[in-house]
Amino acid sequence: MTKKARVAVIGTGWWATTAHLPALRAHPDAEVIAVADQRPEVLAKATEAYEIDTQYTDYQEMLDKEDLDGVVVATWNAAHYETVRACLEHDLHVMVEKPMVVTAKQARHLVDLSRGCGRELIVGYPWHFSSRALRAQELVRSGDLGKVQYVNCHFSSSAGDFIRGSDELHREVFNYPVVGPGDVYSDPERSGGGQGHLQITHSAGIMYFITGLRPSTVMAFMENLGARLDIVDAITVRMDNGALASVGSTGNLQPGDPGKLSVTVHCDRGWLDIDFVSGAGHIRHADGTDEELPSIEGGGQPAAAEGGEDAYPIHATSSNLVDVITGKALNGSPCEVGWRTVEMLDAAYRSAASGGQVVSVDSLYD
């Protein structure tokens, strides 16, 4: 009999109660040992909803007292670094929500720490577990399509209301099982940036997952549209192999609009173009033949998904943590991809703050 993975969850807000706790409770090899949140009222609602007996308002106390194998970290963005570091220092496998952290230095340190302690750090990118992302990665990284020369990465969504500080307009769309995100995405102290850290982290994460490239230099412009944080972003990236990438996003769609998340990769012998929301895609192989990826009924939106492999695999990342612990799977969303995404976003926010000046990724470590 497989030993069950003893898992805890730090942060019991919107996404922990929408995705991670349901996934862990449904996984036959998982045992939810405890949850932690510094907000007693939110913690009480989550533990009641998911019938969890052990709770803490201090996650450090939980890490010291409980016998754990792994932890899901679903706190706000700015708390990811300290929380994940503490978990790794307790010799635990970790699944951290996206973005992995908010600065390149933090990301590099966590990657080094996870390697040093021999524990996996999984980043919360569900689309990495979709058949489309895996097929695209296989083709591009195998060299079948040749060298990557240009990437277009686009994400349009309705996240603008979250960034403006309101979750009420999305209540009927997401049907919050316990609580919504509140105003966290409007607060630079908790979230870092806006559309970049909330949405581009997804699309850029897919781009780096597929290509295996690293950003070298970055230039960006951003517009807040009256909010405290960015809602529209235009980013240009030169990759370490010389390829160029155009990374754009807007959060100004209406609530309920499924939007579009498309990644187009042009190589010197072929190309691919996939919309991860609709599921539709086209691959032009080196021999001139075409491969079509059909649309997904209902699309791949988090609000409509039920964890299906061909929709938005909402349960995949926390389930992957359990499977890594029990030895049934490898890390499906490795921290190196999260690190490259953080490098790009760190450089992009610095560039936008300087009026669009080019920022070298290497300078982030000075």
Side-chain angles (χ1 to χ4, degrees):
M1 179 181 294
T2 302
K3 174 183 177 292
K4 286 198 172 186
R6 297 172 58 84
V7 179
V9 177
I10 300 176
T12 58
W14 173 38
W15 209 242
T17 53
T18 296
H20 302 308
L21 282 169
L24 293 171
R25 292 298 300 270
H27 200 300
D29 296 334
E31 184 179 357
V32 180
I33 301 301
V35 294
D37 197 303
Q38 66 183 22
R39 302 164 296 175
E41 69 285 357
V42 175
L43 185 61
K45 290 179 181 179
T47 53
E48 180 180 3
Y50 291 102
E51 300 177 336
I52 300 167
D53 295 330
T54 307
Q55 56 184 278
Y56 293 85
T57 54
D58 181 347
Y59 74 83
Q60 290 279 8
E61 181 184 3
M62 180 184 74
L63 295 178
D64 290 338
K65 287 185 175 180
E66 300 295 337
D67 179 19
L68 302 171
D69 300 306
V71 178
V72 170
V73 175
T75 61
W76 51 65
N77 302 343
H80 285 180
Y81 172 67
E82 293 293 346
T83 310
V84 173
R85 185 178 71 175
C87 293
L88 291 173
E89 288 174 347
H90 278 76
D91 206 28
L92 301 172
H93 297 288
V94 181
M95 198 295 292
V96 60
E97 257 306 324
K98 56 79 187 169
M100 179 174 147
V101 284
V102 295
T103 73
K105 283 185 177 179
Q106 292 174 341
R108 181 174 68 178
H109 183 229
L110 292 184
V111 170
D112 289 344
L113 189 58
S114 68
R115 289 171 177 171
C117 69
R119 290 294 177 263
E120 291 295 335
L121 176 54
I122 303 163
V123 184
Y125 293 127
W127 270 301
H128 293 181
F129 296 84
S130 70
S131 61
R132 285 150 173 76
L134 293 168
R135 176 63 174 149
Q137 183 193 62
E138 174 190 24
L139 286 171
V140 173
R141 296 213 190 186
S142 70
D144 284 355
L145 303 182
K147 178 184 176 182
V148 177
Q149 296 177 326
Y150 172 70
V151 182
N152 185 70
C153 185
H154 167 83
F155 196 4
S156 58
S157 75
S158 58
D161 290 302
F162 287 149
I163 296 169
R164 292 185 177 96
S166 173
D167 64 7
E168 280 303 313
L169 291 175
H170 292 273
R171 186 170 295 279
E172 291 186 2
V173 178
F174 289 98
N175 297 314
Y176 310 131
V178 178
V179 293
D183 64 354
V184 66
Y185 296 126
S186 69
D187 181 7
E189 293 299 318
R190 289 177 286 174
S191 288
Q195 185 76 358
H197 282 145
L198 180 56
Q199 300 285 254
I200 291 179
T201 183
H202 271 302
S203 52
I206 294 172
M207 174 177 69
Y208 291 113
F209 179 77
I210 290 172
T211 65
L213 298 176
R214 182 196 177 197
S216 177
T217 54
V218 178
M219 181 178 71
F221 293 97
M222 299 179 180
E223 289 293 337
N224 292 12
L225 303 181
R228 296 176 69 191
L229 296 172
D230 55 295
I231 294 177
V232 180
D233 300 53
I235 305 170
T236 301
V237 185
R238 182 178 293 278
M239 300 295 186
D240 56 349
N241 76 332
L244 299 180
S246 177
V247 181
S249 187
T250 177
N252 211 25
L253 303 185
Q254 295 301 307
D257 189 322
K260 183 180 180 69
L261 195 173
S262 62
V263 177
T264 306
V265 182
H266 287 273
C267 304
D268 60 5
R269 295 201 302 274
W271 56 270
L272 59 85
D273 179 18
I274 301 173
D275 180 356
F276 286 86
V277 171
S278 72
H282 186 97
I283 299 168
R284 175 64 56 83
H285 291 274
D287 62 3
T289 59
D290 294 302
E291 179 181 344
E292 297 290 339
L293 303 177
S295 296
I296 300 166
E297 185 177 355
Q301 279 293 285
E306 296 179 355
E309 187 275 334
D310 271 333
Y312 181 80
I314 190 171
H315 296 163
T317 56
S318 40
S319 293
N320 186 229
L321 173 65
V322 175
D323 293 339
V324 164
I325 291 169
T326 59
K328 293 185 176 180
L330 299 176
N331 185 339
S333 187
C335 56
E336 288 79 7
V337 173
W339 178 16
R340 300 314 176 199
T341 305
V342 170
E343 285 184 323
M344 188 201 79
L345 288 171
D346 190 354
Y349 278 108
R350 295 181 190 220
S351 174
S354 69
Q357 295 295 311
V358 175
V359 174
S360 164
V361 168
D362 285 345
S363 73
L364 303 177
Y365 301 101
D366 290 343

